[in-house]
Amino acid sequence: MTDTNSNTVRVAIVGSTGYGGVELIRLLQAHPRVEITSVISSSTAGVPISDGFPHLTNIITRNLDGVNPAEIAEVADLVFAATPSGVSAKLVPELLDAGLKVIDLSGDFRLKDGAVYEQWYKHTAPSAELLEKAVYGLCEVFGEEVRDVDFISNPGCYPTATLLGLIPAISAGWIDASSLIIDAKSGVSGAGRGTSLTTHYAEINENFKAYKVNKHQHIPEVEQVLTQVAGEPITVTFTTHLVPMTRGIMSTMYATLNGPYTEEDFIELYRQYFKDRRFVRIRDLGVWPATKEVSGSNYCDIGFAVDARTNRVTIISVIDNVVKGAAGQAIQNLNLMMGWEESLGLTFAPIYP
């Protein structure tokens, strides 16, 4: 295993032919302390990754490897598991047993209660021991907990935008947690690369629709973390929507105020909470973030509007779902796990326009 003080770490990416995996390749290629030693796909092993992703021509020149934990352990120190839910639950124990560090991007290890996982994900839960072992890697909140560990569960895309937008206010007791309504919207890449009627061009183009209303698998993840932060049970109304764009999540949250707080108060509270976390940017008074302003980056931008008439606050949080909501945050977790600077390899500006 690579020592945490090592200058480099060898990584393998399982699920390299999905959007999360290919984004990991894009970002890790520029990371000064990472060597990608294996790109892995169970479905297309033995063929060049550039066959499916021509943009990687002359960048990743090796063929895709198959999924063999013992062989992975011979060439890598750490594995990013960018696999669908239900796959990681079976694969990750084998990777850990092979002596590998693991950062899992699926939802299989985020929920601590196996019964809750099975209810929402419709898969058999991993062992209670592994669910307990997995450290939830929401870097800006639990960053100290992921240092020097072997196994991190990377947060979901919707929960990342939502939790970063809510936790400071919940922690301060400024909002009534029982009043939370979360209206979240995602680009189509959040559904993955597989084709379906839902993401068919003719179905999504010039269209805007809600889906999994009150049934999205990220609901218990949001509730679990908010409950942990608040110290009391929290349930939320959480509605997700699909937007005809490729990247981006906007989470718009509504809550009743517990006091006469102003927008200026919220701006100051959040800037203090995130003052040492460079990837959360708090908008100035009267300025609200847009998804294009974080596209291709690891930033989460947050803005506020207080309505004295209704005694409610609107919190708007945006991220790139493939970067901050997946690959970028996973690399942030890698940096913290290895004892490196948190922003290493992630300091690029958003793509604009």
Side-chain angles (χ1 to χ4, degrees):
M1 293 295 293
T2 293
D3 184 80
T4 54
N5 294 318
S6 174
N7 288 327
T8 62
V9 63
R10 302 172 302 163
V11 306
I13 302 166
V14 180
S16 292
T17 55
Y19 288 143
V22 81
E23 191 74 345
L24 278 166
I25 292 171
R26 179 178 80 88
L27 301 181
L28 290 171
Q29 281 290 308
H31 196 292
R33 293 190 177 182
V34 167
E35 178 188 3
I36 301 174
T37 55
S38 180
V39 288
I40 298 164
S41 171
S42 61
S43 59
T44 52
V47 304
I49 193 171
S50 56
D51 281 8
F53 292 99
H55 73 287
L56 293 177
T57 299
N58 296 337
I59 296 174
I60 298 291
T61 56
R62 65 179 63 86
N63 290 348
L64 287 157
D65 295 322
V67 183
N68 185 315
E71 291 179 359
I72 296 170
E74 291 178 0
V75 299
D77 308 297
L78 179 142
V79 176
F80 290 98
T83 58
S85 295
V87 175
S88 281
K90 300 180 179 66
L91 176 62
V92 166
E94 298 178 15
L95 296 172
L96 292 170
D97 287 344
L100 291 153
K101 293 179 180 286
V102 176
I103 298 175
D104 180 54
L105 280 73
S106 81
D108 285 351
F109 297 92
R110 296 174 190 154
L111 302 178
K112 295 303 182 183
D113 187 328
V116 173
Y117 169 84
E118 292 179 354
Q119 175 188 348
W120 290 86
Y121 280 85
K122 311 306 180 187
H123 298 300
T124 301
S127 70
E129 179 183 0
L130 276 181
L131 291 178
E132 183 61 31
K133 179 181 176 65
V135 179
Y136 187 73
L138 186 65
C139 300
E140 283 77 14
V141 180
F142 306 116
E144 292 306 311
E145 297 179 22
V146 304
R147 295 186 187 275
D148 300 324
V149 301
D150 293 332
F151 181 24
I152 294 173
S153 178
N154 211 54
C157 49
Y158 279 127
T160 295
T162 300
L163 292 168
L164 293 178
L166 287 175
I167 283 175
I170 292 285
S171 297
W174 285 18
I175 58 177
D176 178 0
S178 68
S179 70
L180 286 174
I181 297 174
I182 302 161
D183 176 40
K185 306 167 186 69
S186 175
V188 185
S189 60
R193 204 182 190 205
T195 56
S196 70
L197 186 61
T198 302
T199 56
H200 189 289
Y201 178 82
E203 299 288 331
I204 190 60
N205 182 50
E206 298 184 3
N207 198 7
F208 183 20
K209 56 186 177 182
Y211 70 102
K212 294 185 179 179
V213 178
N214 297 329
K215 295 181 179 179
H216 198 283
Q217 67 272 19
H218 287 168
I219 292 173
E221 183 179 341
V222 170
E223 292 179 343
Q224 173 181 275
V225 177
L226 290 182
T227 294
Q228 179 181 348
V229 169
E232 60 183 13
I234 290 180
T235 55
V236 299
T237 297
F238 188 103
T239 305
T240 51
H241 306 78
L242 203 57
V243 182
M245 63 182 185
T246 302
R247 290 172 178 255
I249 280 179
M250 175 177 283
S251 191
T252 306
M253 296 153 280
Y254 310 92
T256 300
L257 294 168
N258 281 334
Y261 303 109
T262 65
E263 291 164 15
E264 292 92 338
D265 293 332
F266 273 91
I267 290 169
E268 178 61 23
L269 173 70
Y270 276 62
R271 284 181 173 165
Q272 284 298 313
Y273 189 96
F274 293 120
K275 65 180 178 180
D276 297 321
R277 301 297 190 180
R278 66 176 297 167
F279 292 119
V280 178
R281 305 186 298 188
I282 307 304
R283 286 287 187 260
D284 291 334
L285 181 67
V287 181
W288 301 285
T291 56
K292 187 173 282 291
E293 294 162 0
V294 296
S295 182
S297 81
N298 199 51
Y299 289 104
C300 174
D301 290 2
I302 303 172
F304 311 92
V306 170
D307 187 349
R309 184 179 63 86
T310 60
N311 193 40
R312 296 182 70 84
V313 61
T314 301
I315 304 171
I316 301 169
S317 175
V318 299
I319 63 170
D320 182 314
N321 58 293
V322 190
V323 186
K324 184 60 172 171
Q329 182 156 228
I331 295 170
Q332 209 177 336
N333 275 312
L334 166 69
N335 291 335
L336 291 169
M337 173 190 279
M338 300 303 295
W340 300 334
E341 167 58 42
E342 183 176 353
S343 61
L344 197 63
L346 293 169
T347 55
F348 42 83
I351 300 168
Y352 200 94

